[in-house]
PDB file of all heavy atoms in Angstrom:
ATOM      1  N   LYS P 141     -17.163   3.216  32.460  1.00 92.00           N
ATOM      2  CA  LYS P 141     -18.047   3.123  33.633  1.00 92.00           C
ATOM      3  C   LYS P 141     -18.909   1.864  33.572  1.00 92.00           C
ATOM      4  O   LYS P 141     -19.130   1.202  34.585  1.00 92.00           O
ATOM      5  CB  LYS P 141     -18.914   4.373  33.745  1.00 92.00           C
ATOM      6  CG  LYS P 141     -18.137   5.567  34.268  1.00 92.00           C
ATOM      7  CD  LYS P 141     -19.001   6.788  34.404  1.00 92.00           C
ATOM      8  CE  LYS P 141     -18.171   7.969  34.886  1.00 92.00           C
ATOM      9  NZ  LYS P 141     -18.959   9.187  34.991  1.00 92.00           N
ATOM     10  N   GLN P 142     -19.401   1.534  32.382  1.00 92.00           N
ATOM     11  CA  GLN P 142     -20.216   0.327  32.238  1.00 92.00           C
ATOM     12  C   GLN P 142     -19.382  -0.932  32.454  1.00 92.00           C
ATOM     13  O   GLN P 142     -19.824  -1.883  33.105  1.00 92.00           O
ATOM     14  CB  GLN P 142     -20.891   0.299  30.865  1.00 92.00           C
ATOM     15  CG  GLN P 142     -21.951   1.358  30.683  1.00 92.00           C
ATOM     16  CD  GLN P 142     -23.038   1.277  31.741  1.00 92.00           C
ATOM     17  OE1 GLN P 142     -23.580   0.210  32.024  1.00 92.00           O
ATOM     18  NE2 GLN P 142     -23.341   2.410  32.358  1.00 92.00           N
ATOM     19  N   VAL P 143     -18.181  -0.946  31.889  1.00 92.00           N
ATOM     20  CA  VAL P 143     -17.295  -2.104  32.067  1.00 92.00           C
ATOM     21  C   VAL P 143     -16.969  -2.283  33.546  1.00 92.00           C
ATOM     22  O   VAL P 143     -17.008  -3.389  34.080  1.00 92.00           O
ATOM     23  CB  VAL P 143     -15.998  -1.933  31.226  1.00 92.00           C
ATOM     24  CG1 VAL P 143     -14.939  -2.949  31.637  1.00 92.00           C
ATOM     25  CG2 VAL P 143     -16.308  -2.042  29.741  1.00 92.00           C
ATOM     26  N   TRP P 144     -16.668  -1.175  34.228  1.00 90.00           N
ATOM     27  CA  TRP P 144     -16.318  -1.269  35.648  1.00 90.00           C
ATOM     28  C   TRP P 144     -17.495  -1.744  36.490  1.00 90.00           C
ATOM     29  O   TRP P 144     -17.314  -2.518  37.430  1.00 90.00           O
ATOM     30  CB  TRP P 144     -15.783   0.068  36.167  1.00 90.00           C
ATOM     31  CG  TRP P 144     -15.181  -0.101  37.515  1.00 90.00           C
ATOM     32  CD1 TRP P 144     -15.747   0.174  38.728  1.00 90.00           C
ATOM     33  CD2 TRP P 144     -13.900  -0.651  37.803  1.00 90.00           C
ATOM     34  NE1 TRP P 144     -14.897  -0.152  39.748  1.00 90.00           N
ATOM     35  CE2 TRP P 144     -13.746  -0.672  39.205  1.00 90.00           C
ATOM     36  CE3 TRP P 144     -12.860  -1.130  37.006  1.00 90.00           C
ATOM     37  CZ2 TRP P 144     -12.603  -1.150  39.824  1.00 90.00           C
ATOM     38  CZ3 TRP P 144     -11.715  -1.602  37.633  1.00 90.00           C
ATOM     39  CH2 TRP P 144     -11.601  -1.606  39.019  1.00 90.00           C
ATOM     40  N   LYS P 145     -18.703  -1.298  36.165  1.00 89.00           N
ATOM     41  CA  LYS P 145     -19.890  -1.748  36.912  1.00 89.00           C
ATOM     42  C   LYS P 145     -20.042  -3.262  36.835  1.00 89.00           C
ATOM     43  O   LYS P 145     -20.413  -3.910  37.807  1.00 89.00           O
ATOM     44  CB  LYS P 145     -21.155  -1.087  36.367  1.00 89.00           C
ATOM     45  CG  LYS P 145     -21.389   0.299  36.897  1.00 89.00           C
ATOM     46  CD  LYS P 145     -22.706   0.853  36.382  1.00 89.00           C
ATOM     47  CE  LYS P 145     -22.855   2.296  36.820  1.00 89.00           C
ATOM     48  NZ  LYS P 145     -24.092   2.893  36.299  1.00 89.00           N
ATOM     49  N   HIS P 146     -19.749  -3.822  35.651  1.00 88.00           N
ATOM     50  CA  HIS P 146     -19.866  -5.277  35.485  1.00 88.00           C
ATOM     51  C   HIS P 146     -18.678  -6.012  36.100  1.00 88.00           C
ATOM     52  O   HIS P 146     -18.823  -7.134  36.569  1.00 88.00           O
ATOM     53  CB  HIS P 146     -20.003  -5.641  34.007  1.00 88.00           C
ATOM     54  CG  HIS P 146     -21.300  -5.188  33.419  1.00 88.00           C
ATOM     55  ND1 HIS P 146     -22.510  -5.757  33.749  1.00 88.00           N
ATOM     56  CD2 HIS P 146     -21.586  -4.205  32.540  1.00 88.00           C
ATOM     57  CE1 HIS P 146     -23.488  -5.145  33.100  1.00 88.00           C
ATOM     58  NE2 HIS P 146     -22.952  -4.188  32.359  1.00 88.00           N
ATOM     59  N   ALA P 147     -17.513  -5.376  36.103  1.00 83.00           N
ATOM     60  CA  ALA P 147     -16.314  -6.014  36.652  1.00 83.00           C
ATOM     61  C   ALA P 147     -16.294  -5.975  38.175  1.00 83.00           C
ATOM     62  O   ALA P 147     -15.746  -6.872  38.806  1.00 83.00           O
ATOM     63  CB  ALA P 147     -15.063  -5.331  36.103  1.00 83.00           C
ATOM     64  N   ALA P 148     -16.889  -4.943  38.754  1.00 79.00           N
ATOM     65  CA  ALA P 148     -16.878  -4.790  40.211  1.00 79.00           C
ATOM     66  C   ALA P 148     -18.287  -4.494  40.714  1.00 79.00           C
ATOM     67  O   ALA P 148     -18.579  -3.393  41.169  1.00 79.00           O
ATOM     68  CB  ALA P 148     -15.930  -3.662  40.603  1.00 79.00           C
ATOM     69  N   PRO P 149     -19.195  -5.482  40.632  1.00 70.00           N
ATOM     70  CA  PRO P 149     -20.566  -5.225  41.083  1.00 70.00           C
ATOM     71  C   PRO P 149     -20.624  -5.068  42.599  1.00 70.00           C
ATOM     72  O   PRO P 149     -19.748  -5.509  43.320  1.00 70.00           O
ATOM     73  CB  PRO P 149     -21.320  -6.478  40.625  1.00 70.00           C
ATOM     74  CG  PRO P 149     -20.291  -7.538  40.538  1.00 70.00           C
ATOM     75  CD  PRO P 149     -18.998  -6.843  40.189  1.00 70.00           C
ATOM     76  N   GLY P 150     -21.650  -4.420  43.042  1.00 72.00           N
ATOM     77  CA  GLY P 150     -21.831  -4.228  44.475  1.00 72.00           C
ATOM     78  C   GLY P 150     -22.070  -2.768  44.801  1.00 72.00           C
ATOM     79  O   GLY P 150     -22.446  -1.979  43.936  1.00 72.00           O
ATOM     80  N   GLU P 151     -21.861  -2.438  46.061  1.00 74.00           N
ATOM     81  CA  GLU P 151     -22.099  -1.069  46.519  1.00 74.00           C
ATOM     82  C   GLU P 151     -21.171  -0.064  45.849  1.00 74.00           C
ATOM     83  O   GLU P 151     -21.569   1.042  45.531  1.00 74.00           O
ATOM     84  CB  GLU P 151     -21.919  -0.989  48.036  1.00 74.00           C
ATOM     85  CG  GLU P 151     -23.011  -1.653  48.821  1.00 74.00           C
ATOM     86  CD  GLU P 151     -22.774  -1.521  50.313  1.00 74.00           C
ATOM     87  OE1 GLU P 151     -22.118  -0.560  50.738  1.00 74.00           O
ATOM     88  OE2 GLU P 151     -23.258  -2.396  51.039  1.00 74.00           O
ATOM     89  N   LYS P 152     -19.936  -0.432  45.688  1.00 72.00           N
ATOM     90  CA  LYS P 152     -18.939   0.473  45.100  1.00 72.00           C
ATOM     91  C   LYS P 152     -18.798   0.179  43.607  1.00 72.00           C
ATOM     92  O   LYS P 152     -17.773  -0.296  43.155  1.00 72.00           O
ATOM     93  CB  LYS P 152     -17.592   0.313  45.791  1.00 72.00           C
ATOM     94  CG  LYS P 152     -17.591   0.724  47.233  1.00 72.00           C
ATOM     95  CD  LYS P 152     -16.204   0.564  47.809  1.00 72.00           C
ATOM     96  CE  LYS P 152     -16.161   1.006  49.243  1.00 72.00           C
ATOM     97  NZ  LYS P 152     -14.832   0.844  49.809  1.00 72.00           N
ATOM     98  N   SER P 153     -19.825   0.464  42.840  1.00 76.00           N
ATOM     99  CA  SER P 153     -19.773   0.174  41.411  1.00 76.00           C
ATOM    100  C   SER P 153     -19.126   1.301  40.608  1.00 76.00           C
ATOM    101  O   SER P 153     -18.850   1.130  39.426  1.00 76.00           O
ATOM    102  CB  SER P 153     -21.174  -0.119  40.867  1.00 76.00           C
ATOM    103  OG  SER P 153     -22.005   1.014  41.039  1.00 76.00           O
ATOM    104  N   ASP P 154     -18.879   2.455  41.242  1.00 83.00           N
ATOM    105  CA  ASP P 154     -18.161   3.526  40.556  1.00 83.00           C
ATOM    106  C   ASP P 154     -16.667   3.217  40.583  1.00 83.00           C
ATOM    107  O   ASP P 154     -16.155   2.696  41.576  1.00 83.00           O
ATOM    108  CB  ASP P 154     -18.408   4.880  41.228  1.00 83.00           C
ATOM    109  CG  ASP P 154     -19.802   5.405  40.970  1.00 83.00           C
ATOM    110  OD1 ASP P 154     -20.394   5.026  39.942  1.00 83.00           O
ATOM    111  OD2 ASP P 154     -20.305   6.188  41.792  1.00 83.00           O
ATOM    112  N   PRO P 155     -15.951   3.543  39.513  1.00 88.00           N
ATOM    113  CA  PRO P 155     -14.520   3.256  39.491  1.00 88.00           C
ATOM    114  C   PRO P 155     -13.771   4.089  40.536  1.00 88.00           C
ATOM    115  O   PRO P 155     -14.155   5.217  40.828  1.00 88.00           O
ATOM    116  CB  PRO P 155     -14.091   3.650  38.075  1.00 88.00           C
ATOM    117  CG  PRO P 155     -15.185   4.466  37.525  1.00 88.00           C
ATOM    118  CD  PRO P 155     -16.426   4.156  38.281  1.00 88.00           C
ATOM    119  N   PRO P 156     -12.704   3.521  41.100  1.00 88.00           N
ATOM    120  CA  PRO P 156     -11.954   4.253  42.108  1.00 88.00           C
ATOM    121  C   PRO P 156     -11.140   5.393  41.499  1.00 88.00           C
ATOM    122  O   PRO P 156     -10.654   5.288  40.375  1.00 88.00           O
ATOM    123  CB  PRO P 156     -11.028   3.195  42.699  1.00 88.00           C
ATOM    124  CG  PRO P 156     -10.859   2.191  41.620  1.00 88.00           C
ATOM    125  CD  PRO P 156     -12.159   2.195  40.866  1.00 88.00           C
ATOM    126  N   LYS P 157     -11.018   6.461  42.253  1.00 89.00           N
ATOM    127  CA  LYS P 157     -10.186   7.590  41.837  1.00 89.00           C
ATOM    128  C   LYS P 157      -8.851   7.458  42.559  1.00 89.00           C
ATOM    129  O   LYS P 157      -8.775   6.850  43.625  1.00 89.00           O
ATOM    130  CB  LYS P 157     -10.889   8.893  42.171  1.00 89.00           C
ATOM    131  CG  LYS P 157     -12.173   9.090  41.370  1.00 89.00           C
ATOM    132  CD  LYS P 157     -12.858  10.389  41.765  1.00 89.00           C
ATOM    133  CE  LYS P 157     -14.125  10.587  40.982  1.00 89.00           C
ATOM    134  NZ  LYS P 157     -15.203   9.678  41.334  1.00 89.00           N
ATOM    135  N   PRO P 158      -7.784   8.022  42.006  1.00 90.00           N
ATOM    136  CA  PRO P 158      -6.451   7.832  42.579  1.00 90.00           C
ATOM    137  C   PRO P 158      -6.305   8.247  44.040  1.00 90.00           C
ATOM    138  O   PRO P 158      -5.513   7.655  44.764  1.00 90.00           O
ATOM    139  CB  PRO P 158      -5.557   8.703  41.690  1.00 90.00           C
ATOM    140  CG  PRO P 158      -6.290   8.841  40.418  1.00 90.00           C
ATOM    141  CD  PRO P 158      -7.746   8.787  40.765  1.00 90.00           C
ATOM    142  N   LEU P 159      -7.059   9.227  44.510  1.00 92.00           N
ATOM    143  CA  LEU P 159      -6.879   9.727  45.864  1.00 92.00           C
ATOM    144  C   LEU P 159      -7.861   9.149  46.878  1.00 92.00           C
ATOM    145  O   LEU P 159      -7.911   9.595  48.022  1.00 92.00           O
ATOM    146  CB  LEU P 159      -6.949  11.256  45.873  1.00 92.00           C
ATOM    147  CG  LEU P 159      -5.894  11.963  45.011  1.00 92.00           C
ATOM    148  CD1 LEU P 159      -6.088  13.469  45.056  1.00 92.00           C
ATOM    149  CD2 LEU P 159      -4.489  11.575  45.431  1.00 92.00           C
ATOM    150  N   GLU P 160      -8.654   8.162  46.472  1.00 90.00           N
ATOM    151  CA  GLU P 160      -9.600   7.541  47.395  1.00 90.00           C
ATOM    152  C   GLU P 160      -8.882   6.461  48.199  1.00 90.00           C
ATOM    153  O   GLU P 160      -8.394   5.475  47.644  1.00 90.00           O
ATOM    154  CB  GLU P 160     -10.792   6.963  46.634  1.00 90.00           C
ATOM    155  CG  GLU P 160     -11.648   8.050  46.006  1.00 90.00           C
ATOM    156  CD  GLU P 160     -12.825   7.488  45.227  1.00 90.00           C
ATOM    157  OE1 GLU P 160     -12.772   6.329  44.786  1.00 90.00           O
ATOM    158  OE2 GLU P 160     -13.797   8.239  45.065  1.00 90.00           O
ATOM    159  N   THR P 161      -8.827   6.654  49.516  1.00 91.00           N
ATOM    160  CA  THR P 161      -8.063   5.746  50.369  1.00 91.00           C
ATOM    161  C   THR P 161      -8.775   4.430  50.675  1.00 91.00           C
ATOM    162  O   THR P 161      -8.140   3.486  51.128  1.00 91.00           O
ATOM    163  CB  THR P 161      -7.725   6.434  51.712  1.00 91.00           C
ATOM    164  OG1 THR P 161      -8.945   6.816  52.347  1.00 91.00           O
ATOM    165  CG2 THR P 161      -6.855   7.645  51.496  1.00 91.00           C
ATOM    166  N   GLU P 162     -10.079   4.350  50.415  1.00 89.00           N
ATOM    167  CA  GLU P 162     -10.792   3.114  50.748  1.00 89.00           C
ATOM    168  C   GLU P 162     -10.562   1.992  49.733  1.00 89.00           C
ATOM    169  O   GLU P 162     -11.010   0.872  49.937  1.00 89.00           O
ATOM    170  CB  GLU P 162     -12.295   3.371  50.927  1.00 89.00           C
ATOM    171  CG  GLU P 162     -13.001   3.891  49.708  1.00 89.00           C
ATOM    172  CD  GLU P 162     -13.061   5.415  49.627  1.00 89.00           C
ATOM    173  OE1 GLU P 162     -12.334   6.107  50.350  1.00 89.00           O
ATOM    174  OE2 GLU P 162     -13.838   5.905  48.821  1.00 89.00           O
ATOM    175  N   TYR P 163      -9.873   2.279  48.646  1.00 88.00           N
ATOM    176  CA  TYR P 163      -9.557   1.260  47.645  1.00 88.00           C
ATOM    177  C   TYR P 163      -8.090   0.859  47.767  1.00 88.00           C
ATOM    178  O   TYR P 163      -7.224   1.714  47.973  1.00 88.00           O
ATOM    179  CB  TYR P 163      -9.791   1.790  46.228  1.00 88.00           C
ATOM    180  CG  TYR P 163     -11.234   2.024  45.894  1.00 88.00           C
ATOM    181  CD1 TYR P 163     -11.801   3.283  46.027  1.00 88.00           C
ATOM    182  CD2 TYR P 163     -12.033   0.986  45.434  1.00 88.00           C
ATOM    183  CE1 TYR P 163     -13.135   3.501  45.717  1.00 88.00           C
ATOM    184  CE2 TYR P 163     -13.362   1.196  45.117  1.00 88.00           C
ATOM    185  CZ  TYR P 163     -13.911   2.454  45.258  1.00 88.00           C
ATOM    186  OH  TYR P 163     -15.221   2.669  44.947  1.00 88.00           O
ATOM    187  N   PRO P 164      -7.788  -0.418  47.584  1.00 90.00           N
ATOM    188  CA  PRO P 164      -6.377  -0.819  47.570  1.00 90.00           C
ATOM    189  C   PRO P 164      -5.691  -0.286  46.304  1.00 90.00           C
ATOM    190  O   PRO P 164      -6.326  -0.088  45.268  1.00 90.00           O
ATOM    191  CB  PRO P 164      -6.421  -2.347  47.572  1.00 90.00           C
ATOM    192  CG  PRO P 164      -7.815  -2.734  47.260  1.00 90.00           C
ATOM    193  CD  PRO P 164      -8.698  -1.547  47.484  1.00 90.00           C
ATOM    194  N   PHE P 165      -4.400  -0.058  46.406  1.00 93.00           N
ATOM    195  CA  PHE P 165      -3.626   0.510  45.307  1.00 93.00           C
ATOM    196  C   PHE P 165      -3.723  -0.350  44.043  1.00 93.00           C
ATOM    197  O   PHE P 165      -3.820   0.164  42.931  1.00 93.00           O
ATOM    198  CB  PHE P 165      -2.161   0.684  45.734  1.00 93.00           C
ATOM    199  CG  PHE P 165      -1.337   1.453  44.764  1.00 93.00           C
ATOM    200  CD1 PHE P 165      -1.660   2.753  44.414  1.00 93.00           C
ATOM    201  CD2 PHE P 165      -0.211   0.883  44.193  1.00 93.00           C
ATOM    202  CE1 PHE P 165      -0.892   3.475  43.517  1.00 93.00           C
ATOM    203  CE2 PHE P 165       0.562   1.599  43.292  1.00 93.00           C
ATOM    204  CZ  PHE P 165       0.229   2.900  42.957  1.00 93.00           C
ATOM    205  N   LYS P 166      -3.718  -1.695  44.212  1.00 92.00           N
ATOM    206  CA  LYS P 166      -3.823  -2.592  43.057  1.00 92.00           C
ATOM    207  C   LYS P 166      -5.117  -2.356  42.286  1.00 92.00           C
ATOM    208  O   LYS P 166      -5.133  -2.378  41.061  1.00 92.00           O
ATOM    209  CB  LYS P 166      -3.750  -4.050  43.506  1.00 92.00           C
ATOM    210  CG  LYS P 166      -2.350  -4.512  43.809  1.00 92.00           C
ATOM    211  CD  LYS P 166      -2.203  -5.938  44.297  1.00 92.00           C
ATOM    212  CE  LYS P 166      -3.310  -6.897  44.057  1.00 92.00           C
ATOM    213  NZ  LYS P 166      -3.038  -8.261  44.533  1.00 92.00           N
ATOM    214  N   GLU P 167      -6.210  -2.126  42.993  1.00 89.00           N
ATOM    215  CA  GLU P 167      -7.500  -1.897  42.336  1.00 89.00           C
ATOM    216  C   GLU P 167      -7.501  -0.566  41.579  1.00 89.00           C
ATOM    217  O   GLU P 167      -8.043  -0.470  40.481  1.00 89.00           O
ATOM    218  CB  GLU P 167      -8.629  -1.929  43.360  1.00 89.00           C
ATOM    219  CG  GLU P 167     -10.004  -1.946  42.731  1.00 89.00           C
ATOM    220  CD  GLU P 167     -11.107  -2.183  43.744  1.00 89.00           C
ATOM    221  OE1 GLU P 167     -10.833  -2.569  44.897  1.00 89.00           O
ATOM    222  OE2 GLU P 167     -12.272  -1.977  43.376  1.00 89.00           O
ATOM    223  N   ILE P 168      -6.876   0.442  42.153  1.00 92.00           N
ATOM    224  CA  ILE P 168      -6.781   1.744  41.478  1.00 92.00           C
ATOM    225  C   ILE P 168      -5.943   1.622  40.210  1.00 92.00           C
ATOM    226  O   ILE P 168      -6.300   2.164  39.161  1.00 92.00           O
ATOM    227  CB  ILE P 168      -6.212   2.805  42.445  1.00 92.00           C
ATOM    228  CG1 ILE P 168      -7.245   3.102  43.538  1.00 92.00           C
ATOM    229  CG2 ILE P 168      -5.839   4.083  41.705  1.00 92.00           C
ATOM    230  CD1 ILE P 168      -6.737   3.964  44.658  1.00 92.00           C
ATOM    231  N   LEU P 169      -4.828   0.882  40.293  1.00 94.00           N
ATOM    232  CA  LEU P 169      -3.988   0.679  39.100  1.00 94.00           C
ATOM    233  C   LEU P 169      -4.723  -0.125  38.030  1.00 94.00           C
ATOM    234  O   LEU P 169      -4.614   0.185  36.840  1.00 94.00           O
ATOM    235  CB  LEU P 169      -2.685  -0.022  39.484  1.00 94.00           C
ATOM    236  CG  LEU P 169      -1.672   0.803  40.234  1.00 94.00           C
ATOM    237  CD1 LEU P 169      -0.436  -0.040  40.559  1.00 94.00           C
ATOM    238  CD2 LEU P 169      -1.271   2.033  39.443  1.00 94.00           C
ATOM    239  N   LEU P 170      -5.465  -1.138  38.452  1.00 91.00           N
ATOM    240  CA  LEU P 170      -6.240  -1.932  37.497  1.00 91.00           C
ATOM    241  C   LEU P 170      -7.273  -1.058  36.796  1.00 91.00           C
ATOM    242  O   LEU P 170      -7.426  -1.123  35.570  1.00 91.00           O
ATOM    243  CB  LEU P 170      -6.919  -3.106  38.200  1.00 91.00           C
ATOM    244  CG  LEU P 170      -7.806  -3.987  37.322  1.00 91.00           C
ATOM    245  CD1 LEU P 170      -6.974  -4.654  36.231  1.00 91.00           C
ATOM    246  CD2 LEU P 170      -8.523  -5.014  38.173  1.00 91.00           C
ATOM    247  N   ALA P 171      -7.976  -0.239  37.546  1.00 92.00           N
ATOM    248  CA  ALA P 171      -8.978   0.656  36.958  1.00 92.00           C
ATOM    249  C   ALA P 171      -8.323   1.615  35.964  1.00 92.00           C
ATOM    250  O   ALA P 171      -8.844   1.844  34.865  1.00 92.00           O
ATOM    251  CB  ALA P 171      -9.697   1.440  38.052  1.00 92.00           C
ATOM    252  N   ALA P 172      -7.166   2.162  36.319  1.00 94.00           N
ATOM    253  CA  ALA P 172      -6.464   3.093  35.430  1.00 94.00           C
ATOM    254  C   ALA P 172      -6.012   2.392  34.147  1.00 94.00           C
ATOM    255  O   ALA P 172      -6.109   2.957  33.053  1.00 94.00           O
ATOM    256  CB  ALA P 172      -5.272   3.711  36.152  1.00 94.00           C
ATOM    257  N   ALA P 173      -5.531   1.160  34.266  1.00 95.00           N
ATOM    258  CA  ALA P 173      -5.084   0.414  33.084  1.00 95.00           C
ATOM    259  C   ALA P 173      -6.256   0.102  32.152  1.00 95.00           C
ATOM    260  O   ALA P 173      -6.148   0.261  30.926  1.00 95.00           O
ATOM    261  CB  ALA P 173      -4.389  -0.877  33.511  1.00 95.00           C
ATOM    262  N   ILE P 174      -7.360  -0.323  32.728  1.00 94.00           N
ATOM    263  CA  ILE P 174      -8.550  -0.619  31.904  1.00 94.00           C
ATOM    264  C   ILE P 174      -9.056   0.649  31.241  1.00 94.00           C
ATOM    265  O   ILE P 174      -9.370   0.658  30.052  1.00 94.00           O
ATOM    266  CB  ILE P 174      -9.653  -1.275  32.769  1.00 94.00           C
ATOM    267  CG1 ILE P 174      -9.213  -2.665  33.229  1.00 94.00           C
ATOM    268  CG2 ILE P 174     -10.969  -1.358  32.001  1.00 94.00           C
ATOM    269  CD1 ILE P 174     -10.114  -3.284  34.277  1.00 94.00           C
TER     270      ILE P 174
END
Side-chain angles (χ1 to χ4, degrees):
K141 284 181 182 178
Q142 292 303 312
V143 167
W144 191 261
K145 278 184 185 178
H146 292 290
E151 288 181 27
K152 295 182 178 180
S153 62
D154 287 334
K157 294 179 180 70
L159 300 178
E160 292 179 336
T161 59
E162 62 268 15
Y163 291 96
F165 189 59
K166 282 178 19 178
E167 190 172 347
I168 291 171
L169 287 179
L170 178 63
I174 293 170

